[in-house]
Amino acid sequence: MDEPAPASAPTAPALDEGPREGQSDRWGWDYCTNTAVRRAARRLGQLYGDISAPAGLMPTQHTLLTHLKLAAAASDPAAGTLQNLAAAMVMDLSALGHTLKPLVRDGYVELVPDARDRRVKRARLTEKGEAKQAEGQALWHVAQSRFDALFGAEESAALRRALAIVASEEFAEAFKRGE
Amino acid sequence: MDEPAPASAPTAPALDEGPREGQSDRWGWDYCTNTAVRRAARRLGQLYGDISAPAGLMPTQHTLLTHLKLAAAASDPAAGTLQNLAAAMVMDLSALGHTLKPLVRDGYVELVPDARDRRVKRARLTEKGEAKQAEGQALWHVAQSRFDALFGAEESAALRRALAIVASEEFAEAFKRGE
DNA sequence: TCACGAAACTGGTATATGCCACTATTATCA
DNA sequence: TGATAATAGTGGCATATACCAGTTTCGTGA
């Protein structure tokens, strides 16, 4: 009963037909959480990517544009600085910088230096970027709906909650403390 | 309830302290399953990576070596071909080829052409590779144990099961059929 | 105010991954 | 058997992501 719904959801493929065999997993995929997450990430990248491709954005790029849009809407003062953006994305600052480059190059995002603290730069959606985000949003919705329909909306939400915990700052800190 | 255990597990950080705020998520991280998985993957990459770093292997590399070891142990005839390996890793064949390069370069893996079908190549662990795998395995165990202790062993297993479904071939096929 | 340490990026290098074009081999079938 | 389709990899190019070294700018304390 403490089993997560996904494992027994009627809409989800039977786990028994997966790589598992009886009690133990023939390939060991069931043992490593890190591996399990990466495999799922690659698969979802394929599935969402196939659908989002027409917009010409990688899934991560769309996520970035969406985050910038939401941050702007919330008019959070601290939001938008590369530092905060990186933390929110659970991404290395330099990785974010590299990831942002093609978006800046293509005119979807602009980097605005802060007037008060010249070390700081803020990433902001351009008009073109907003349009592209909206375009991608429509396609994303198709993918997300299909995923929810297949995996189960409840189970999908539960999975996201579990993953949010794993991705959280608090979890990382506790992990690093060796608890 | 149909809530996944992780969300209420005593060992897991309170979700309310995460990015969520009241009913809606301030940054939208709770909406996209793909984004949620990627964020968690980056975080786990950091956490497992920090611990596994002393072995000098990236998490993905260790996963690859481990898979090759298990495949060899199971003496599965079809296993080991790059094609099958890629499918098992839920990875593009060319991506696997690229990923394998540093491992071959460093002498952990060797690519053996098949005698019967000269198109086919099999990846195989070298002795050095087996040693490195074992070294990484010990470190990996530390990370996995810590994760399970923090997230909850049951919840961790449940999460892996859910992710295995998402990563499965069957799920991808159903998704692509548009169901 | 000046030295020094902290903070925020930038750029270089390496791995991770995907798509596409191309080559080599094998399988099919008229 | 010979043309054609299918399969398995390889290599090039682009993005994703990390770590580290270096630069600029701030903040702080003597």
Side-chain angles (χ1 to χ4, degrees):
Chain A
M1 277 295 94
D2 54 332
E3 292 270 335
S8 54
T11 49
L15 192 54
D16 296 331
E17 302 187 45
R20 301 175 78 241
E21 208 180 64
Q23 188 169 45
S24 72
D25 162 21
R26 192 166 41 149
W27 299 120
W29 300 130
D30 274 3
Y31 295 133
C32 182
T33 304
N34 183 44
T35 296
V37 173
R38 283 178 178 282
R39 269 170 35 100
R42 285 191 290 263
R43 180 69 78 191
L44 282 185
Q46 293 168 16
L47 302 181
Y48 276 69
D50 283 351
I51 292 180
S52 303
L57 285 180
M58 303 269 88
T60 299
Q61 298 182 319
H62 178 251
T63 296
L64 220 33
L65 296 191
T66 299
H67 181 67
L68 289 177
K69 178 188 174 184
L70 293 176
S75 56
D76 186 315
T81 74
L82 298 190
Q83 195 74 231
N84 285 302
L85 189 51
M89 293 280 295
V90 184
M91 193 182 281
D92 183 87
L93 174 61
S94 73
L96 173 65
H98 293 315
T99 301
L100 235 28
K101 262 176 196 148
L103 293 173
V104 170
R105 178 199 58 200
D106 297 341
Y108 299 137
V109 174
E110 53 187 1
L111 296 180
V112 190
D114 185 282
R116 283 165 294 273
D117 187 337
R118 275 181 298 179
R119 289 172 301 182
V120 174
K121 280 188 183 173
R122 291 162 194 287
R124 208 170 49 185
L125 269 188
T126 62
E127 265 187 55
K128 188 179 172 189
E130 287 192 42
K132 182 55 77 175
Q133 195 282 330
E135 186 187 346
Q137 183 75 7
L139 292 170
W140 166 81
H141 196 268
V142 172
Q144 179 78 355
S145 297
R146 195 176 293 183
F147 180 89
D148 280 4
L150 186 58
F151 196 74
E154 286 297 323
E155 294 76 12
S156 178
L159 176 59
R160 287 196 296 275
R161 278 193 293 274
L163 292 169
I165 291 173
V166 173
S168 76
E169 205 73 49
E170 294 79 18
F171 189 84
E173 281 162 19
F175 189 95
K176 284 172 187 168
R177 279 197 303 272
E179 293 170 15
Chain B
M1 306 257 65
D2 54 338
E3 291 271 336
S8 53
T11 49
L15 190 56
D16 296 332
E17 303 187 43
R20 300 173 79 239
E21 209 179 63
Q23 187 169 46
S24 72
D25 162 20
R26 193 166 39 148
W27 299 119
W29 301 129
D30 274 5
Y31 295 133
C32 182
T33 303
N34 183 43
T35 297
V37 172
R38 284 178 177 281
R39 267 170 35 102
R42 285 192 290 262
R43 180 70 78 190
L44 282 184
Q46 293 169 14
L47 301 182
Y48 277 69
D50 284 351
I51 292 180
S52 303
L57 285 180
M58 304 268 87
T60 299
Q61 296 182 321
H62 178 250
T63 296
L64 219 34
L65 296 191
T66 299
H67 182 66
L68 288 178
K69 177 188 174 184
L70 295 175
S75 56
D76 186 315
T81 74
L82 298 190
Q83 196 74 232
N84 285 304
L85 190 51
M89 294 280 295
V90 184
M91 193 182 282
D92 183 86
L93 173 62
S94 72
L96 173 65
H98 295 316
T99 301
L100 236 27
K101 258 172 201 154
L103 293 173
V104 170
R105 178 199 60 198
D106 298 340
Y108 299 137
V109 174
E110 52 186 0
L111 297 179
V112 190
D114 186 281
R116 282 166 294 274
D117 188 337
R118 277 182 297 180
R119 289 172 302 183
V120 173
K121 280 188 184 174
R122 290 163 196 286
R124 208 170 50 185
L125 268 189
T126 61
E127 267 187 53
K128 188 179 172 189
E130 288 192 42
K132 182 56 77 176
Q133 195 283 328
E135 186 187 346
Q137 185 74 11
L139 293 170
W140 166 79
H141 196 269
V142 172
Q144 180 78 357
S145 297
R146 195 177 293 182
F147 181 88
D148 280 3
L150 185 59
F151 196 73
E154 285 298 323
E155 294 77 11
S156 177
L159 176 59
R160 288 196 295 276
R161 277 195 293 277
L163 292 169
I165 291 173
V166 173
S168 75
E169 205 72 48
E170 294 79 18
F171 189 84
E173 281 161 20
F175 189 95
K176 285 172 187 168
R177 278 198 303 274
E179 293 170 15

